[in-house]
Amino acid sequence: MKKNKQIHMKQVYLIIVGCLLFIAQTFANNLVISGTPSFSSANQTLTFTMAWDNSWCINAGPSNWDGVWIFVKRQNCSGNNAWVHQKLSTTSADHLAKLASNSATSTDVQVDAVADGMGVFVRRIGTNVVGNVPSQIVTVKLSGTNPTITTGNTDNFEIIGVEMVYVPQGQFYAGDGRSPNGFNFSAGTATQPVQITSAKQAAGIGSALNYTSSTAYGCPTPLPATFPLGFDGFYCMKYEATTGVFLEFINSLSYDQQASHLTENGSANLPNVVGSWFDRPNEYTHWTRVSTVGTFNTVSAVFINNYPWATQGYMSWRQTAAFLDWSGLRPMTEFEYEKACRGPLTTVANEYPWGSTAVTSTTGPASDWTNSNSNYTIVDGPLFYCCWNGISQRPGAFAKSTTNRVQAGATYYGILDMAGNLFEQCVGGAGFDYSGFTTTNGDGVLTATGSANTVGWPTNGGTNSGTIIRGNWMDSNVLGYAQTSDRTFYPGNAINASRNKFAGTRGVRSFSY
């Protein structure tokens, strides 16, 4: 019998163990997947219950909605088998959402299949509805695994949900006209933002001179039509990834993959040593660590964390890419970062992702911080944090039912923490050819060392890597980093070259309606 691993998760999970039924439920940002799960071998379906709060579908302004990316991992119950990605049907009609209250077809959400079968989107529907999504009974149809394994009726399943926000198709401005290294071009003597249109996306934006004032500030190879400029619709993670969802990630890896990620810090930590840490046990993270030791080169360790709902720091580019590949998502480009922040609005010089240059200073309660013994001060509004003996805050801590966009620090589309908590890692920058990056998503399969293997993705972060950090982090006092169009780090930076407390993880997935 396969021994069930202990799991703690922020962004919602449900694990079904066929050998020994075990249902685990946690609450985080009010997204919950729970109930008595059901696997139908005859129908090849999984049925579970889910609900989340603070949801919306609006038909004016951003004209968008939020939802949940659902993906499934599977493990054959006999022996010491690996977790693999369970694909789902690519036909939306094969999936179903019902109201838990009366089993009628849901009027709150719909289930959207994706072309590669890596998961489904459960999204809010309705006309100008805002509020909580009541309990829904969701049934998804299975369709093979990646890689292919021998399956059985007693297999283990993990159902994982990540909150997302839809960014609709449409033109927007990149750059705000004030920075020579930004997405701006020279028109006479003035520097102007670049408008990203359907024509630019269809033809490719080409040379760096078409979106920057100098070739030194962009990609040395012309960007083709296959490079995501942000015009087309895509889903973006509502929050940066948390320690909880990274627990799911690290606990699903093989022993050798776990060891590779542990030793990236330069430490002597190994999965067969109790207390070995995945991140770093200090004031800037939450100490994801080995609870149940693994067997060298054979059996994976089990990791735990005391704060599964907190933001996961100490992310290198390699680990960010690996997590996104594992979850069926992909990295975002810095064009998409600006679209997600600014939306279709006219640019404002030096604006922050909440749409203005306004900043404030206040003091927040310890309940919004992961360390209840530490007080902290919000420096410059919902930007980021300076504190003593503190650690990264709860994602979306300032989005309340009564807050507006500025108070919550929300982007035009309702995405949170894009200018604080931790740096956002994007594809872009200068000095390295990243023109081969496309909308190809992760396939759930990693290399023997636990790295992403998706063609076209940058393999490493740092200087001249094809990656760039945007936004800011909680303990920085440089306001400019948090401005939407700031490209201070266009040549790359060592912050995401290896494990670093400043860097977080957020992914996207292209999707058109």
Side-chain angles (χ1 to χ4, degrees):
M1 179 183 294
K2 177 68 177 176
K3 183 178 180 181
N4 177 49
K5 62 182 181 178
Q6 183 179 2
I7 296 176
H8 296 262
M9 191 176 169
K10 172 262 171 195
Q11 257 149 314
V12 183
Y13 71 93
L14 174 63
I15 180 168
I16 310 166
V17 181
C19 307
L20 178 63
L21 183 62
F22 174 78
I23 305 170
Q25 172 181 322
T26 57
F27 296 78
N29 288 335
N30 303 316
L31 170 61
V32 180
I33 299 177
S34 62
T36 302
S38 175
F39 169 53
S40 171
S41 177
N43 298 324
Q44 286 297 293
T45 58
L46 282 173
T47 300
F48 54 93
T49 301
M50 66 180 296
W52 75 97
D53 293 350
N54 306 315
S55 178
W56 72 89
C57 180
I58 53 178
N59 302 87
S63 299
N64 77 327
W65 50 83
D66 74 331
V68 181
W69 170 243
I70 296 288
F71 61 101
V72 180
K73 297 293 180 177
R74 184 171 189 161
Q75 179 191 56
N76 187 288
C77 210
S78 61
N80 181 46
N81 295 307
W83 289 91
V84 301
H85 202 94
Q86 171 64 64
K87 288 193 169 185
L88 305 179
S89 171
T90 59
T91 302
S92 294
D94 286 341
H95 312 294
L96 180 65
K98 292 184 177 181
L99 296 170
S101 59
N102 58 19
S103 296
T105 299
S106 178
T107 55
D108 299 312
V109 302
Q110 68 184 43
V111 184
D112 295 332
V114 297
D116 60 4
M118 292 300 292
V120 294
F121 285 107
V122 180
R123 56 151 290 196
R124 187 67 184 259
I125 57 176
T127 302
N128 293 325
V129 290
V130 178
N132 300 341
V133 175
S135 186
Q136 311 285 312
I137 300 173
V138 178
T139 299
V140 294
K141 187 171 183 61
L142 313 185
S143 179
T145 61
N146 192 21
T148 301
I149 63 168
T150 299
T151 60
N153 292 340
T154 59
D155 286 355
N156 299 333
F157 291 91
E158 287 182 334
I159 302 173
I160 303 169
V162 177
E163 293 182 70
M164 308 287 284
V165 173
Y166 191 62
V167 178
Q169 183 185 77
Q171 62 189 29
F172 70 101
Y173 289 98
D176 62 8
R178 53 92 186 177
S179 173
N181 65 24
F183 286 148
N184 308 295
F185 69 99
S186 297
T189 58
T191 301
Q192 297 182 357
V194 179
Q195 189 173 37
I196 305 299
T197 63
S198 59
K200 280 191 173 70
Q201 183 65 79
I205 201 168
S207 165
L209 289 176
N210 293 330
Y211 55 92
T212 64
S213 59
S214 168
T215 56
Y217 299 139
C219 183
T221 301
L223 295 178
T226 52
F227 185 84
L229 294 175
F231 176 83
D232 296 325
F234 61 93
Y235 274 96
C236 179
M237 287 173 62
K238 187 185 291 185
Y239 315 101
E240 292 159 322
T242 62
T243 56
V245 77
F246 265 94
L247 273 179
E248 291 302 290
F249 167 68
I250 198 73
N251 277 327
S252 72
L253 301 182
S254 70
Y255 181 97
D256 288 344
Q257 290 171 330
Q258 289 178 340
S260 176
H261 284 287
L262 287 174
T263 57
E264 184 173 320
N265 287 333
S267 71
N269 288 344
L270 288 172
N272 60 353
V273 178
V274 172
S276 289
W277 31 269
F278 171 64
D279 35 39
R280 292 200 179 188
N282 66 12
E283 71 273 21
Y284 292 111
T285 190
H286 297 275
W287 199 2
T288 300
R289 60 202 183 278
V290 171
S291 174
T292 303
V293 298
T295 302
F296 179 75
N297 204 32
T298 305
V299 180
S300 302
V302 177
F303 290 76
I304 61 171
N305 188 286
N306 293 339
Y307 303 97
W309 37 264
T311 309
Q312 176 67 60
Y314 272 105
M315 289 294 98
S316 67
W317 175 264
R318 185 177 85 90
Q319 273 152 338
T320 286
F323 168 77
L324 296 177
D325 192 351
W326 171 83
S327 59
L329 301 175
R330 66 168 173 85
M332 63 179 164
T333 68
E334 54 174 333
F335 286 95
E336 291 172 319
Y337 172 85
E338 293 207 23
K339 166 75 173 290
C341 291
R342 180 176 291 120
L345 302 181
T346 302
T347 62
V348 176
N350 303 311
E351 67 184 320
Y352 298 104
W354 47 88
S356 76
T357 59
V359 292
T360 59
S361 180
T362 186
T363 299
S367 59
D368 278 338
W369 197 265
T370 55
N371 184 346
S372 61
N373 296 321
S374 174
N375 293 320
Y376 65 92
T377 298
I378 307 168
V379 179
D380 303 303
L383 264 174
F384 41 82
Y385 305 85
C386 290
C387 69
W388 61 274
N389 194 31
I391 40 186
S392 56
Q393 92 276 14
R394 176 173 60 84
F398 299 96
K400 316 291 185 184
S401 60
T402 57
T403 53
N404 58 34
R405 177 183 170 189
V406 172
Q407 292 168 330
T411 75
Y412 178 80
Y413 295 105
I415 301 165
L416 297 166
D417 302 330
M418 288 286 254
N421 207 359
L422 296 169
F423 278 115
E424 307 291 339
Q425 300 190 60
C426 306
V427 175
F432 188 87
D433 183 4
Y434 50 86
S435 62
F437 183 78
T438 68
T439 58
T440 301
N441 298 295
D443 63 0
V445 181
L446 304 178
T447 68
T449 57
S451 297
N453 57 1
T454 306
V455 175
W457 290 17
T459 55
N460 295 297
T463 303
N464 297 332
S465 64
T467 74
I468 183 173
I469 53 173
R470 291 290 203 107
N472 212 327
W473 87 289
M474 60 179 178
D475 209 20
S476 171
N477 59 3
V478 182
L479 301 185
Y481 295 165
Q483 293 167 356
T484 298
S485 293
D486 185 81
R487 296 183 78 229
T488 296
F489 301 105
Y490 72 88
N493 189 278
I495 283 175
N496 67 350
S498 59
R499 303 298 296 277
N500 194 297
K501 60 191 177 185
F502 304 149
T505 292
R506 192 191 306 260
V508 301
R509 193 174 226 278
S510 296
F511 196 94
S512 296
Y513 284 94

